Structure formats: C-alpha cells, structure tokens
Amino acid sequence: MSASNLFYLSLGSNLGDRAGNLDRAIAALTDVGVRVLRRSSFYETEPVDFLAQPWFFNCVVEAETSLTPEQLLHALQRIESLLGSKKLIARGPRLIDLDILFYGSSNIHMEQMEIPHPRMANRRFVLVPLAELVPELRHPTLGATVVELLAASQDDSIVRLWQPHGNDVCSKSNLGETR
C-alpha cells in the first residue's frame, strides 16, 4: 500500500444477522484496499429520523487506505451492493450501511459525499462508538473533540453496548446503556 490515509468509518445494520452483517462488511474492506486498524464494540441503537424500523447494530472502524476519498466511497458502495443492501427508504432499514466519517483532516463537499460526515455531530449511534476509539479526536471544522460533540449532542436516542449472549440477543444491563 502506498501513502496511507487514516480514516474512520461508521457501519450499521438493522436487518437479518446484524452482527454478522457488520463482521462481513469489515472483512470485505481488505478486499478493496483498506487496512482495518481497530474496531469499536458493537452497539444496539434506537432508530432516529425514520422510527418505524428495527433497532440497529452500529460500530466504528479506524482504518487506512491509499484510495482517494472518491475511490473509497465507490469501494464502500460496492461492498454494500455485494452484501445485498438496498436503500429503498432514505435512512430506512438496511442490511449494511457504510459511511465515511473522517478522511484524515480533509474537508470535502461534493454532490455524492461530504467529509466530515455532515450529520455525525448529531448522531449518538456514531459518536458513542467513535468516542470508544478516539475520544480526543478533533473535528476538523467544528473544532470540538468527539467527547465534546457527544456531550453537546441533542440526540437522546438509546445507544447500548451489545453483549453477545446467544443469537443476536442484547444484554438488558444498564451498564452499557447510555442516553
């Protein structure tokens, strides 16, 4: 791999084997020129925006690649397609969703993508797993750290740490639940 660019990726799934879908997507990243460095825990998260759908599993991945942001976006879209994801309803149910949160300190505003992700500062399902990995990472345009963004978020949706106890069953312990 030539010059490597550090980036952060949010993954989500709320259909089928949610944990398996996340695992398959993470494994597929190596096939498109991405080296995964670390992954957050899996979190079970309440839907936001479009509420009439199953709860999600979400996580964040820290990775590096020599792909440009545009090449990375197309590679992620191929993974989504190969895994059978179809986005029939905006922010609706899906097998897998892959979103670039940060790509180095780049600020990219194009029709097909915005980096940093434009809604991440208002999404606990992104901020909680991102804070697990890089709490002091500073948003390049907002200037706040991930922990500061999480503390300031107006999103009050439930995000709870998922503990695998059998087949896709979430622990009911309050220990990992945050609101």
Side-chain angles (χ1 to χ4, degrees):
M1 195 178 298
S2 57
S4 290
N5 300 291
L6 187 67
F7 73 96
Y8 293 89
L9 182 67
S10 175
L11 295 88
S13 174
N14 73 338
L15 296 176
D17 175 6
R18 299 173 296 172
N21 294 339
L22 295 179
D23 285 335
R24 282 186 289 283
I26 293 167
L29 290 170
T30 58
D31 296 334
V32 297
V34 170
R35 182 171 165 246
V36 175
L37 303 174
R38 296 187 297 159
R39 161 183 88 67
S40 74
S41 301
F42 288 173
Y43 292 85
E44 187 172 38
T45 64
E46 182 177 17
V48 295
D49 296 327
F50 184 75
L51 304 179
Q53 62 180 321
W55 282 42
F56 282 83
F57 272 17
N58 291 96
C59 72
V60 167
V61 166
E62 177 184 71
E64 62 184 10
T65 188
S66 59
L67 299 174
T68 67
E70 295 85 359
Q71 291 170 328
L72 179 60
L73 175 65
H74 295 301
L76 297 177
Q77 290 169 336
R78 279 194 310 277
I79 291 171
E80 289 175 341
S81 180
L82 286 170
L83 294 179
S85 193
K86 295 176 177 66
K87 295 177 184 178
L88 303 175
I89 301 170
R91 299 186 184 121
R94 68 236 8 238
L95 283 172
I96 194 70
D97 187 40
L98 306 170
D99 290 318
I100 304 167
L101 301 175
F102 294 113
Y103 184 93
S105 59
S106 297
N107 284 298
I108 300 169
H109 301 283
M110 301 170 65
E111 186 175 329
Q112 71 270 23
M113 86 170 129
E114 280 190 61
I115 300 173
H117 194 284
R119 291 178 303 281
M120 68 176 280
N122 300 313
R123 300 287 191 248
R124 290 178 47 74
F125 66 84
V126 170
L127 293 172
V128 170
L130 188 59
E132 177 187 328
L133 288 184
V134 286
E136 298 305 316
L137 180 67
R138 206 163 278 286
H139 193 289
T141 55
L142 299 177
T145 66
V146 173
V147 168
E148 292 166 342
L149 292 173
L150 181 58
S153 175
Q154 299 295 311
D155 178 5
D156 66 353
S157 64
I158 296 171
V159 174
R160 60 186 171 216
L161 185 63
W162 178 67
Q163 300 292 334
H165 295 291
N167 189 14
D168 201 9
V169 176
C170 181
S171 168
K172 299 298 182 197
S173 165
N174 286 334
L175 209 79
E177 186 169 310
T178 63
R179 205 182 243 281

